[in-house]
Amino acid sequence: LLLQFNLVCEDSWKLDIFQSCVNAGFFIGSVNIGYIADRFGRKFCILTTVFANTICGLLLVFVPTYLWILIFRFLQGLVSKGCWTAGYIVVTEVVGPRYRRTVGILYQAAFSVGLLVFDVVAYAIPHWRWLQLTVTLPCFFFLLYYWCLPESPRWLISQGKNDKAMKIISDMAKKNRKKMPSHLEDIKFEEEDGGKQTPSLFDLVRTPQMRKNTFILMYTWFTSSILYQGLIMHMGLAGGNMYLDFLYSALVEFPAAFMIIATIDRIGRRYPWAASNLVAGAACLATALIPEDLHWLKVITACIGRMGITMAFEMVCFVNTELYPTYIRNLGVMVCSALCDIGGVVPPFIVYRLVEVWQELPLIVFTVLGLIAGGLVLLLPETKGRVLPETVEDVENLHRQGAPKEKQIYLHVRTSE
């Protein structure tokens, strides 16, 4: 790509634009795709974004100029993040608190597996057009989700479609060889305002706790993206083997996933999340201060920082879904993670331009961002053992040390009988 479009010397800045344009698409498409998923359903969002992303990927193979590459990469950014986020929302909405953290982390671990596979495929297929075609064609298989992926029952309930939700729940029970509780069909699902709820951006900041959650989550998404991508780029400046460096950066994500699974149900969400940000920030500072002649030690500390920010990245994805009610959950995740997309635009300019002032200056910037994020996370409510909130009132009550929602519903049903 560099040689074909001459992205070197005085035109090297165009490579920064190429790396940032897909994140710009993520940012612009975040709110719209989030609204579609909350307004028309998770399944509809997944299918439409997969189809659009695949078509853009195929067209990218045949583009003749650098400008058209930017256009189709930008269009891919508009839709591809919506597909990933809608899928994440579905897997967290169809399970209870006991299994939510496991399926959420495994969903993200699949991304790490994809990085390893991509590294091997890229090594075997060095030409970028053939590589683009190879990774795009399998995406058509995702369209088979039309026949095998059910809609989220939680979303159906939030839209007043209780009959469809009960049918899906009944099918799940049969496939899992479980019996539905005898009282479940008699429960009246109560939505806020007594009917169908329509997602609105104003709901994200309408109440104090929702407002605090939104602003803190925005900052942590922003910080996680900058440190995650920035550390990869900064390690690449050492001039080592490109494929090995990419492999190392992907391998450290697996210990991060195991550490999350081992801690968040024992300790909770906030403390491991805060610690991961603090470790990432401290590792960046240590890497900047280690002398150049101890290159092996710089690599180790940089990998520790990468593992820390990977944990933080996976935690913000996971906790973000637990801090918004069902009817605006996808919108909330998409709006907050839009700051991740802004963060994805910034790293090429931070890393490649600040190193001209001082080689380690980007790491100092990463240190400050990571330490601030670690402190802000502690201001969020703990969601360990809580069911997903259904209304704004549920979110406002998360910070209170009251009975879990399951027990409140149980007592309510027993009293009504």
Side-chain angles (χ1 to χ4, degrees), residues 101-291:
R101 56 99 174 175
T102 302
V103 298
I105 299 305
L106 290 178
Y107 184 88
Q108 296 178 78
F111 179 82
S112 302
V113 175
L115 291 179
L116 296 177
V117 174
F118 179 77
D119 188 45
V120 174
V121 174
Y123 180 79
I125 308 176
H127 194 280
W128 74 270
R129 292 187 188 272
W130 287 108
L131 178 61
Q132 176 67 30
L133 182 64
T134 302
V135 299
T136 299
L137 287 177
C139 294
F140 278 110
F141 288 105
F142 290 124
L143 297 177
L144 298 176
Y145 283 168
Y146 177 83
W147 290 278
C148 60
L149 180 68
E151 183 55 86
S152 166
R154 286 183 179 271
W155 178 82
L156 290 170
I157 292 170
S158 73
Q159 300 300 303
K161 302 177 181 179
N162 296 345
D163 293 339
K164 292 183 179 180
M166 293 301 300
K167 184 179 184 304
I168 292 175
I169 294 173
S170 177
D171 292 339
M172 289 180 178
K174 290 179 181 178
K175 291 179 181 178
N176 291 326
R177 298 179 180 179
K178 303 288 184 180
K179 291 184 178 180
M180 292 181 62
S182 58
H183 67 277
L184 183 61
E185 296 181 359
D186 298 327
I187 294 177
K188 299 292 184 180
F189 294 96
E190 298 176 359
E191 292 84 40
E192 192 176 31
D193 298 327
K196 182 179 178 180
Q197 303 173 69
T198 303
S200 169
L201 286 172
F202 179 69
D203 288 336
L204 301 180
V205 294
R206 180 160 54 91
T207 58
Q209 190 64 40
M210 290 278 287
R211 186 161 51 247
K212 183 174 74 171
N213 294 350
T214 298
F215 289 143
I216 293 178
L217 288 168
M218 282 181 171
Y219 179 80
T220 52
W221 273 106
F222 177 77
T223 301
S224 298
S225 179
I226 289 183
L227 268 67
Y228 184 87
Q229 299 186 50
L231 283 173
I232 297 175
M233 294 177 185
H234 196 271
M235 289 180 65
L237 295 177
N241 185 291
M242 176 178 62
Y243 299 103
L244 286 179
D245 289 343
F246 193 87
L247 178 66
Y248 297 150
S249 66
L251 285 175
V252 298
E253 297 192 5
F254 292 98
F258 290 127
M259 290 176 67
I260 293 175
I261 293 176
T263 58
I264 61 176
D265 276 351
R266 293 178 174 86
I267 303 174
R269 275 61 159 153
R270 287 189 304 172
Y271 294 117
W273 187 9
S276 63
N277 279 288
L278 295 175
V279 167
C284 288
L285 179 60
T287 304
L289 298 179
I290 294 174

Side-chain angles (χ1 to χ4, degrees), residues 392-403:
V392 172
E393 183 181 359
D394 292 338
V395 177
E396 292 299 304
N397 293 331
L398 277 176
H399 68 288
R400 300 175 183 172
Q401 298 297 322

